[in-house]
Amino acid sequence: SIAAPSRLHRGCAPQVRTQLVATARRLGLGDGDGRVPDGVASAAQPLSSEESVELRRALAAAFFLQAAVRRPSGDYVTLVSRQTVSIHPSSALFSRRAPCVLYNELVFTTRLYMRDLTTIEAAWLAEVAPHFFKSGAAAAATGAAPSAGQPRMRIHGGGSFR
């Protein structure tokens, strides 16, 4: 799976399934009774490690504008708008210290939180969106030196993150 389910979220599976069935119905993908046609993969089948990487790379290519990197303080900074954000406490990734994530939405309560997220490799951003990121510094957003596996990136035309 994209992110390991937490104890908190295991009980949400029926709600998620209901939402997916409704979406499939709206898009004409299912038969309306929750059955999945032969050509469509079942959501009940877990992804292999290779499939998970392929899916997360595809998400990085599609949603590279919604990437954030972790600062040494534990907060995250969005790579495009440079806003300080945190992982929402209801997320399965809340207790993990992922160096780079993609998020679906930002929610403001007592602070700005990322919701619906998955981990990615920072290096993928320069590979999947070279027109936007130069290999250089996802870590530059944090003000920290990059680790061996985390290249520096710069936004084309936007200068560095420092």
mmCIF file with all atom_site columns, all heavy atoms in Angstrom, residues 51-65:
data_model
loop_
_atom_site.group_PDB
_atom_site.id
_atom_site.type_symbol
_atom_site.label_atom_id
_atom_site.label_alt_id
_atom_site.label_comp_id
_atom_site.label_asym_id
_atom_site.label_entity_id
_atom_site.label_seq_id
_atom_site.pdbx_PDB_ins_code
_atom_site.Cartn_x
_atom_site.Cartn_y
_atom_site.Cartn_z
_atom_site.occupancy
_atom_site.B_iso_or_equiv
_atom_site.pdbx_formal_charge
_atom_site.auth_seq_id
_atom_site.auth_comp_id
_atom_site.auth_asym_id
_atom_site.auth_atom_id
_atom_site.pdbx_PDB_model_num
ATOM 1   N N   . GLU A 1 51 ? 5.162  -1.910 -7.578  1.00 0.00 ? 51 GLU A N   1
ATOM 2   C CA  . GLU A 1 51 ? 3.960  -1.180 -7.990  1.00 0.00 ? 51 GLU A CA  1
ATOM 3   C C   . GLU A 1 51 ? 3.762  0.079  -7.146  1.00 0.00 ? 51 GLU A C   1
ATOM 4   O O   . GLU A 1 51 ? 3.339  1.111  -7.661  1.00 0.00 ? 51 GLU A O   1
ATOM 5   C CB  . GLU A 1 51 ? 2.725  -2.074 -7.876  1.00 0.00 ? 51 GLU A CB  1
ATOM 6   C CG  . GLU A 1 51 ? 2.677  -3.190 -8.900  1.00 0.00 ? 51 GLU A CG  1
ATOM 7   C CD  . GLU A 1 51 ? 1.583  -4.197 -8.615  1.00 0.00 ? 51 GLU A CD  1
ATOM 8   O OE1 . GLU A 1 51 ? 1.288  -4.455 -7.432  1.00 0.00 ? 51 GLU A OE1 1
ATOM 9   O OE2 . GLU A 1 51 ? 1.016  -4.731 -9.592  1.00 0.00 ? 51 GLU A OE2 1
ATOM 10  N N   . SER A 1 52 ? 4.079  -0.016 -5.859  1.00 0.00 ? 52 SER A N   1
ATOM 11  C CA  . SER A 1 52 ? 3.962  1.145  -4.972  1.00 0.00 ? 52 SER A CA  1
ATOM 12  C C   . SER A 1 52 ? 4.898  2.259  -5.427  1.00 0.00 ? 52 SER A C   1
ATOM 13  O O   . SER A 1 52 ? 4.507  3.431  -5.478  1.00 0.00 ? 52 SER A O   1
ATOM 14  C CB  . SER A 1 52 ? 4.273  0.744  -3.531  1.00 0.00 ? 52 SER A CB  1
ATOM 15  O OG  . SER A 1 52 ? 4.277  1.876  -2.694  1.00 0.00 ? 52 SER A OG  1
ATOM 16  N N   . VAL A 1 53 ? 6.125  1.914  -5.771  1.00 0.00 ? 53 VAL A N   1
ATOM 17  C CA  . VAL A 1 53 ? 7.087  2.915  -6.251  1.00 0.00 ? 53 VAL A CA  1
ATOM 18  C C   . VAL A 1 53 ? 6.589  3.529  -7.553  1.00 0.00 ? 53 VAL A C   1
ATOM 19  O O   . VAL A 1 53 ? 6.617  4.748  -7.726  1.00 0.00 ? 53 VAL A O   1
ATOM 20  C CB  . VAL A 1 53 ? 8.492  2.303  -6.427  1.00 0.00 ? 53 VAL A CB  1
ATOM 21  C CG1 . VAL A 1 53 ? 9.418  3.238  -7.188  1.00 0.00 ? 53 VAL A CG1 1
ATOM 22  C CG2 . VAL A 1 53 ? 9.088  1.956  -5.061  1.00 0.00 ? 53 VAL A CG2 1
ATOM 23  N N   . GLU A 1 54 ? 6.098  2.681  -8.474  1.00 0.00 ? 54 GLU A N   1
ATOM 24  C CA  . GLU A 1 54 ? 5.584  3.193  -9.751  1.00 0.00 ? 54 GLU A CA  1
ATOM 25  C C   . GLU A 1 54 ? 4.419  4.152  -9.530  1.00 0.00 ? 54 GLU A C   1
ATOM 26  O O   . GLU A 1 54 ? 4.347  5.207  -10.166 1.00 0.00 ? 54 GLU A O   1
ATOM 27  C CB  . GLU A 1 54 ? 5.141  2.034  -10.651 1.00 0.00 ? 54 GLU A CB  1
ATOM 28  C CG  . GLU A 1 54 ? 6.284  1.213  -11.196 1.00 0.00 ? 54 GLU A CG  1
ATOM 29  C CD  . GLU A 1 54 ? 5.806  0.007  -11.995 1.00 0.00 ? 54 GLU A CD  1
ATOM 30  O OE1 . GLU A 1 54 ? 4.613  -0.038 -12.375 1.00 0.00 ? 54 GLU A OE1 1
ATOM 31  O OE2 . GLU A 1 54 ? 6.623  -0.887 -12.238 1.00 0.00 ? 54 GLU A OE2 1
ATOM 32  N N   . LEU A 1 55 ? 3.512  3.797  -8.636  1.00 0.00 ? 55 LEU A N   1
ATOM 33  C CA  . LEU A 1 55 ? 2.363  4.651  -8.359  1.00 0.00 ? 55 LEU A CA  1
ATOM 34  C C   . LEU A 1 55 ? 2.805  5.971  -7.731  1.00 0.00 ? 55 LEU A C   1
ATOM 35  O O   . LEU A 1 55 ? 2.364  7.048  -8.147  1.00 0.00 ? 55 LEU A O   1
ATOM 36  C CB  . LEU A 1 55 ? 1.376  3.943  -7.429  1.00 0.00 ? 55 LEU A CB  1
ATOM 37  C CG  . LEU A 1 55 ? 0.187  4.790  -6.970  1.00 0.00 ? 55 LEU A CG  1
ATOM 38  C CD1 . LEU A 1 55 ? -0.651 5.245  -8.158  1.00 0.00 ? 55 LEU A CD1 1
ATOM 39  C CD2 . LEU A 1 55 ? -0.659 4.017  -5.973  1.00 0.00 ? 55 LEU A CD2 1
ATOM 40  N N   . ARG A 1 56 ? 3.716  5.911  -6.764  1.00 0.00 ? 56 ARG A N   1
ATOM 41  C CA  . ARG A 1 56 ? 4.161  7.137  -6.106  1.00 0.00 ? 56 ARG A CA  1
ATOM 42  C C   . ARG A 1 56 ? 4.951  8.029  -7.067  1.00 0.00 ? 56 ARG A C   1
ATOM 43  O O   . ARG A 1 56 ? 4.842  9.244  -7.017  1.00 0.00 ? 56 ARG A O   1
ATOM 44  C CB  . ARG A 1 56 ? 4.959  6.810  -4.844  1.00 0.00 ? 56 ARG A CB  1
ATOM 45  C CG  . ARG A 1 56 ? 4.049  6.214  -3.758  1.00 0.00 ? 56 ARG A CG  1
ATOM 46  C CD  . ARG A 1 56 ? 4.755  5.911  -2.452  1.00 0.00 ? 56 ARG A CD  1
ATOM 47  N NE  . ARG A 1 56 ? 5.758  4.874  -2.615  1.00 0.00 ? 56 ARG A NE  1
ATOM 48  C CZ  . ARG A 1 56 ? 7.048  5.034  -2.332  1.00 0.00 ? 56 ARG A CZ  1
ATOM 49  N NH1 . ARG A 1 56 ? 7.492  6.155  -1.833  1.00 0.00 ? 56 ARG A NH1 1
ATOM 50  N NH2 . ARG A 1 56 ? 7.888  4.044  -2.515  1.00 0.00 ? 56 ARG A NH2 1
ATOM 51  N N   . ARG A 1 57 ? 5.715  7.439  -7.986  1.00 0.00 ? 57 ARG A N   1
ATOM 52  C CA  . ARG A 1 57 ? 6.410  8.236  -9.008  1.00 0.00 ? 57 ARG A CA  1
ATOM 53  C C   . ARG A 1 57 ? 5.405  8.908  -9.944  1.00 0.00 ? 57 ARG A C   1
ATOM 54  O O   . ARG A 1 57 ? 5.579  10.061 -10.338 1.00 0.00 ? 57 ARG A O   1
ATOM 55  C CB  . ARG A 1 57 ? 7.394  7.382  -9.803  1.00 0.00 ? 57 ARG A CB  1
ATOM 56  C CG  . ARG A 1 57 ? 8.660  7.061  -9.041  1.00 0.00 ? 57 ARG A CG  1
ATOM 57  C CD  . ARG A 1 57 ? 9.598  6.210  -9.892  1.00 0.00 ? 57 ARG A CD  1
ATOM 58  N NE  . ARG A 1 57 ? 10.076 6.939  -11.045 1.00 0.00 ? 57 ARG A NE  1
ATOM 59  C CZ  . ARG A 1 57 ? 11.204 7.645  -11.082 1.00 0.00 ? 57 ARG A CZ  1
ATOM 60  N NH1 . ARG A 1 57 ? 11.962 7.710  -10.019 1.00 0.00 ? 57 ARG A NH1 1
ATOM 61  N NH2 . ARG A 1 57 ? 11.572 8.266  -12.174 1.00 0.00 ? 57 ARG A NH2 1
ATOM 62  N N   . ALA A 1 58 ? 4.349  8.181  -10.312 1.00 0.00 ? 58 ALA A N   1
ATOM 63  C CA  . ALA A 1 58 ? 3.305  8.765  -11.166 1.00 0.00 ? 58 ALA A CA  1
ATOM 64  C C   . ALA A 1 58 ? 2.609  9.911  -10.438 1.00 0.00 ? 58 ALA A C   1
ATOM 65  O O   . ALA A 1 58 ? 2.338  10.961 -11.038 1.00 0.00 ? 58 ALA A O   1
ATOM 66  C CB  . ALA A 1 58 ? 2.294  7.694  -11.574 1.00 0.00 ? 58 ALA A CB  1
ATOM 67  N N   . LEU A 1 59 ? 2.341  9.733  -9.147  1.00 0.00 ? 59 LEU A N   1
ATOM 68  C CA  . LEU A 1 59 ? 1.739  10.815 -8.363  1.00 0.00 ? 59 LEU A CA  1
ATOM 69  C C   . LEU A 1 59 ? 2.681  12.013 -8.295  1.00 0.00 ? 59 LEU A C   1
ATOM 70  O O   . LEU A 1 59 ? 2.241  13.166 -8.396  1.00 0.00 ? 59 LEU A O   1
ATOM 71  C CB  . LEU A 1 59 ? 1.393  10.331 -6.950  1.00 0.00 ? 59 LEU A CB  1
ATOM 72  C CG  . LEU A 1 59 ? 0.222  9.350  -6.849  1.00 0.00 ? 59 LEU A CG  1
ATOM 73  C CD1 . LEU A 1 59 ? 0.136  8.767  -5.447  1.00 0.00 ? 59 LEU A CD1 1
ATOM 74  C CD2 . LEU A 1 59 ? -1.083 10.024 -7.235  1.00 0.00 ? 59 LEU A CD2 1
ATOM 75  N N   . ALA A 1 60 ? 3.985  11.762 -8.143  1.00 0.00 ? 60 ALA A N   1
ATOM 76  C CA  . ALA A 1 60 ? 4.962  12.856 -8.104  1.00 0.00 ? 60 ALA A CA  1
ATOM 77  C C   . ALA A 1 60 ? 4.960  13.621 -9.423  1.00 0.00 ? 60 ALA A C   1
ATOM 78  O O   . ALA A 1 60 ? 5.058  14.852 -9.437  1.00 0.00 ? 60 ALA A O   1
ATOM 79  C CB  . ALA A 1 60 ? 6.360  12.321 -7.789  1.00 0.00 ? 60 ALA A CB  1
ATOM 80  N N   . ALA A 1 61 ? 4.826  12.898 -10.537 1.00 0.00 ? 61 ALA A N   1
ATOM 81  C CA  . ALA A 1 61 ? 4.787  13.560 -11.847 1.00 0.00 ? 61 ALA A CA  1
ATOM 82  C C   . ALA A 1 61 ? 3.534  14.419 -11.992 1.00 0.00 ? 61 ALA A C   1
ATOM 83  O O   . ALA A 1 61 ? 3.589  15.515 -12.552 1.00 0.00 ? 61 ALA A O   1
ATOM 84  C CB  . ALA A 1 61 ? 4.845  12.512 -12.966 1.00 0.00 ? 61 ALA A CB  1
ATOM 85  N N   . ALA A 1 62 ? 2.419  13.939 -11.474 1.00 0.00 ? 62 ALA A N   1
ATOM 86  C CA  . ALA A 1 62 ? 1.156  14.662 -11.621 1.00 0.00 ? 62 ALA A CA  1
ATOM 87  C C   . ALA A 1 62 ? 0.993  15.793 -10.610 1.00 0.00 ? 62 ALA A C   1
ATOM 88  O O   . ALA A 1 62 ? 0.412  16.824 -10.922 1.00 0.00 ? 62 ALA A O   1
ATOM 89  C CB  . ALA A 1 62 ? -0.014 13.688 -11.483 1.00 0.00 ? 62 ALA A CB  1
ATOM 90  N N   . PHE A 1 63 ? 1.506  15.603 -9.403  1.00 0.00 ? 63 PHE A N   1
ATOM 91  C CA  . PHE A 1 63 ? 1.252  16.551 -8.320  1.00 0.00 ? 63 PHE A CA  1
ATOM 92  C C   . PHE A 1 63 ? 2.533  17.158 -7.749  1.00 0.00 ? 63 PHE A C   1
ATOM 93  O O   . PHE A 1 63 ? 2.594  17.462 -6.563  1.00 0.00 ? 63 PHE A O   1
ATOM 94  C CB  . PHE A 1 63 ? 0.456  15.854 -7.205  1.00 0.00 ? 63 PHE A CB  1
ATOM 95  C CG  . PHE A 1 63 ? -0.873 15.352 -7.657  1.00 0.00 ? 63 PHE A CG  1
ATOM 96  C CD1 . PHE A 1 63 ? -1.085 13.994 -7.870  1.00 0.00 ? 63 PHE A CD1 1
ATOM 97  C CD2 . PHE A 1 63 ? -1.922 16.226 -7.897  1.00 0.00 ? 63 PHE A CD2 1
ATOM 98  C CE1 . PHE A 1 63 ? -2.313 13.524 -8.294  1.00 0.00 ? 63 PHE A CE1 1
ATOM 99  C CE2 . PHE A 1 63 ? -3.148 15.771 -8.329  1.00 0.00 ? 63 PHE A CE2 1
ATOM 100 C CZ  . PHE A 1 63 ? -3.347 14.417 -8.534  1.00 0.00 ? 63 PHE A CZ  1
ATOM 101 N N   . PHE A 1 64 ? 3.547  17.345 -8.595  1.00 0.00 ? 64 PHE A N   1
ATOM 102 C CA  . PHE A 1 64 ? 4.827  17.859 -8.100  1.00 0.00 ? 64 PHE A CA  1
ATOM 103 C C   . PHE A 1 64 ? 4.697  19.229 -7.445  1.00 0.00 ? 64 PHE A C   1
ATOM 104 O O   . PHE A 1 64 ? 5.516  19.602 -6.608  1.00 0.00 ? 64 PHE A O   1
ATOM 105 C CB  . PHE A 1 64 ? 5.879  17.893 -9.214  1.00 0.00 ? 64 PHE A CB  1
ATOM 106 C CG  . PHE A 1 64 ? 5.554  18.807 -10.358 1.00 0.00 ? 64 PHE A CG  1
ATOM 107 C CD1 . PHE A 1 64 ? 5.931  20.131 -10.332 1.00 0.00 ? 64 PHE A CD1 1
ATOM 108 C CD2 . PHE A 1 64 ? 4.880  18.318 -11.473 1.00 0.00 ? 64 PHE A CD2 1
ATOM 109 C CE1 . PHE A 1 64 ? 5.635  20.980 -11.388 1.00 0.00 ? 64 PHE A CE1 1
ATOM 110 C CE2 . PHE A 1 64 ? 4.585  19.152 -12.536 1.00 0.00 ? 64 PHE A CE2 1
ATOM 111 C CZ  . PHE A 1 64 ? 4.958  20.487 -12.496 1.00 0.00 ? 64 PHE A CZ  1
ATOM 112 N N   . LEU A 1 65 ? 3.672  19.983 -7.803  1.00 0.00 ? 65 LEU A N   1
ATOM 113 C CA  . LEU A 1 65 ? 3.475  21.294 -7.182  1.00 0.00 ? 65 LEU A CA  1
ATOM 114 C C   . LEU A 1 65 ? 3.021  21.176 -5.727  1.00 0.00 ? 65 LEU A C   1
ATOM 115 O O   . LEU A 1 65 ? 3.017  22.167 -4.996  1.00 0.00 ? 65 LEU A O   1
ATOM 116 C CB  . LEU A 1 65 ? 2.436  22.108 -7.965  1.00 0.00 ? 65 LEU A CB  1
ATOM 117 C CG  . LEU A 1 65 ? 2.847  22.524 -9.372  1.00 0.00 ? 65 LEU A CG  1
ATOM 118 C CD1 . LEU A 1 65 ? 1.684  23.191 -10.082 1.00 0.00 ? 65 LEU A CD1 1
ATOM 119 C CD2 . LEU A 1 65 ? 4.057  23.438 -9.330  1.00 0.00 ? 65 LEU A CD2 1
#
